[in-house]
């Protein structure tokens, strides 16, 4: 692996990022066509159902593709889906060599793309910048491996770890500069989860403002179907989808009212008296949801964390101190019995946004 090849693959990875939020449940893919040491074409998968990165890059290169090398962040597909197989386009374009960052574990590809190209006489290499390629597609890879979406927990807290004061007031913990970042995150999610306590206390909209590439479904965890039909989330159900998750025997009259308002109601099993979050994630995975944002409250965060279902945390820390023994902290639930049992969160990134600090980290499995 040469530094030149790494540099070219890094460019392909940059291009792949342009599809984030637009292509899911497909993977993010970027491609670069190189001939005689010069980039002659670039492309990325821009929209779900539209042309893949390789095809876009080859079209940009035109006749210069013949005898060229194609750098692509994922093994080219070899099956007919919403678009024709990319391997056919690569072979027809006369590409001499293909360098892919990683193999595609999708069952209809999974090495067959590489095999097809090699059988056609192309030189194929796999593994340039593979770690980076896997990182940008962690949600896609998780969905394939587990059948569940990638789960991000997001909260804002003060320096002393409070998400609200002792009276329950929480507006606003973070500053104005941080709020657009939250809306940007919401705008690329398949779903945004909140508990009934948060809805009853704060009456949130849980929408992205301004809208992003995706319109997330607002997922309300409400075992007893207590959400008022007058709440903002219900009143806007025909503008942005709402999925109310409840126990099977909960409040039939309110279910009818919610469905009449445009909400979808989903009954899932209870586990130890609470909604089974594992069953919920299984159902969302069947719907091919790739990214799920959990916004609270503390009981919901605690339930997800106790069940080992959070993949990444986004924590906005504001430079203020709320104090108060009764003030709310971000994560409830059972929690760790000993500090040695606390869940590690390695490899944090730190970013200052206005007066606040955003901490991001991947949650380790227990």
């Amino acid at each position: 692996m040469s530094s030149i090849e790494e540099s070219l693959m890094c460019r392909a990875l940059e291009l792949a990022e342009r599809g984030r939020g637009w292509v899911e449940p497909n993977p993010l893919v970027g491609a670069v066509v190189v001939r005689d040491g010069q980039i002659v074409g670039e492309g990325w998968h821009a929209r779900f159902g539209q042309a893949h990165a390789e095809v876009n890059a080859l079209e940009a290169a035109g006749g210069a593709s013949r005898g060229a090398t194609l750098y692509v962040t994922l093994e080219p597909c070899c099956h007919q889906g919403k678009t024709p197989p990319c391997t056919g386009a690569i072979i027809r374009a006369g590409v001499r060599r293909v360098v892919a960052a990683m193999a595609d574990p999708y069952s209809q590809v999974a090495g067959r793309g590489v095999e097809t190209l090699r059988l056609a006489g192309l030189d194929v290499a796999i593994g340039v910048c593979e770690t980076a390629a896997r990182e940008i597609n962690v949600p896609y890879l998780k969905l394939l491996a587990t059948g569940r979406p990638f789960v991000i927990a997001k909260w804002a807290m003060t320096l002393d770890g409070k998400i609200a004061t002792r009276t329950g007031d929480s507006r606003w913990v973070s500053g104005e500069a941080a709020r657009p970042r939250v809306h940007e995150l919401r705008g690329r999610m398949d779903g945004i989860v909140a508990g009934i306590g948060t809805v009853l206390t704060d009456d949130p909209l849980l929408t992205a403002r301004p809208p992003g590439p995706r319109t997330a479904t607002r997922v309300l965890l409400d075992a007893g179907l207590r959400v008022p039909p007058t709440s903002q989330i219900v009143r806007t159900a025909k503008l942005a989808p709402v999925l109310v998750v409840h126990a099977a025997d909960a409040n039939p009259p309110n279910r009818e009212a919610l469905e009449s308002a445009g909400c979808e109601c989903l009954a899932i099993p209870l586990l130890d008296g609470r909604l089974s979050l594992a069953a919920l994630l299984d159902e969302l995975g069947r719907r091919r949801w790739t990214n799920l944002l959990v916004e609270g409250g503390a009981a919901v965060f605690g339930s997800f964390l106790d069940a080992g279902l959070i993949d990444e945390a986004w924590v906005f820390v504001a430079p203020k101190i709320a104090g108060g023994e009764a003030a709310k902290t971000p994560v409830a639930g059972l929690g760790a019995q000993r500090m040695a049992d606390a869940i590690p969160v390695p490899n944090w990134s730190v970013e200052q946004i206005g007066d606040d600090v955003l901490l991001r980290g991947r949650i380790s499995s227990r």
Side-chain angles (χ1 to χ4, degrees):
M1 184 189 307
S2 70
S3 59
I4 294 174
E5 285 196 323
E6 288 183 346
S7 176
L8 291 167
M9 191 62 78
C10 283
R11 175 57 183 165
L13 289 164
E14 289 175 1
L15 294 169
E17 280 287 351
R18 298 184 184 184
R20 191 174 296 280
W22 297 101
V23 305
E24 293 86 350
N26 282 356
L28 307 180
V29 184
V32 174
V33 182
V34 178
R35 183 171 176 178
D36 299 328
Q38 301 295 318
I39 294 177
V40 295
E42 295 184 334
W44 63 95
H45 186 27
R47 295 288 190 281
F48 179 76
Q50 295 185 8
H52 290 185
E54 301 95 315
V55 172
N56 288 329
L58 292 170
E59 287 184 354
S65 298
R66 188 157 298 278
T69 298
L70 173 68
Y71 291 84
V72 61
T73 58
L74 188 69
E75 176 184 4
C77 69
C78 54
H79 66 288
Q80 176 69 48
K82 291 186 177 295
T83 60
C86 291
T87 51
I90 294 168
I91 293 166
R92 288 191 300 274
V95 170
R96 177 183 60 83
R97 183 169 183 254
V98 173
V99 180
M102 61 174 287
D104 187 350
Y106 182 53
S107 60
Q108 296 191 56
V109 185
R112 296 183 183 91
V114 169
E115 181 183 10
T116 299
L117 294 173
R118 285 177 174 160
L119 287 173
L122 279 71
D123 178 20
V124 182
I126 296 282
V128 176
C129 300
E130 181 172 357
T131 299
R134 287 187 171 278
E135 181 62 28
I136 69 166
N137 273 315
V138 164
Y140 167 75
L141 297 173
K142 184 192 175 185
L143 182 61
L144 287 184
T146 69
R148 294 175 176 177
F150 187 79
V151 179
I152 298 174
K154 186 277 299 179
W155 66 80
M157 67 181 188
T158 60
L159 284 176
D160 56 334
K162 308 296 185 181
I163 61 172
T165 66
R166 58 184 172 81
T167 65
D169 180 57
S170 61
R171 295 188 178 178
W172 297 97
V173 175
S174 54
E176 289 187 12
R179 289 169 211 157
R181 190 63 178 278
V182 173
H183 286 286
E184 178 188 2
L185 178 62
R186 287 178 176 177
R188 58 179 178 82
M189 294 289 114
D190 293 300
I192 300 170
V193 177
I196 182 60
T198 295
V199 172
L200 294 176
T201 302
D202 297 336
D203 194 21
L205 269 173
L206 298 178
T207 55
R209 303 182 295 276
R214 307 184 85 74
T215 300
T217 297
R218 281 87 56 84
V219 181
L220 174 57
L221 303 181
D222 183 11
L225 281 179
R226 295 186 291 143
V227 59
T230 55
S231 63
Q232 287 197 97
I233 198 169
V234 175
R235 287 190 289 107
T236 58
K238 293 181 180 178
L239 301 177
V242 176
L243 178 64
V244 184
V245 183
H246 61 90
D249 58 352
N251 201 344
N254 204 31
R255 173 171 180 160
E256 292 177 7
L258 293 173
E259 290 176 338
S260 296
C263 300
E264 178 188 357
C265 293
L266 174 67
I268 63 170
L270 296 177
L271 181 65
D272 297 328
R274 292 179 172 271
L275 294 169
S276 171
L277 298 178
L280 173 61
L281 293 187
D282 287 339
E283 170 59 27
L284 300 182
R286 284 189 287 271
R287 300 182 183 204
R288 308 306 294 163
W289 287 20
T290 310
N291 292 285
L292 187 68
L293 179 64
V294 180
E295 291 219 21
V300 172
F301 288 135
S303 295
F304 269 89
L305 197 66
D306 285 343
L309 298 176
I310 297 177
D311 297 301
E312 187 169 290
W314 287 47
V315 181
F316 293 85
V317 182
K320 57 185 73 170
I321 298 173
E325 185 177 353
K328 295 182 179 180
T329 55
V331 183
L334 184 62
Q337 183 173 345
R338 302 177 304 154
M339 193 56 68
D341 300 325
I343 300 171
V345 187
N347 302 320
W348 279 94
S349 67
V350 181
E351 177 184 353
Q352 184 157 357
I353 305 176
D355 292 331
D356 302 327
V357 172
L358 169 60
L359 302 175
R360 290 177 56 187
R362 197 69 51 78
I363 306 294
S364 295
S365 58
R366 289 188 184 274

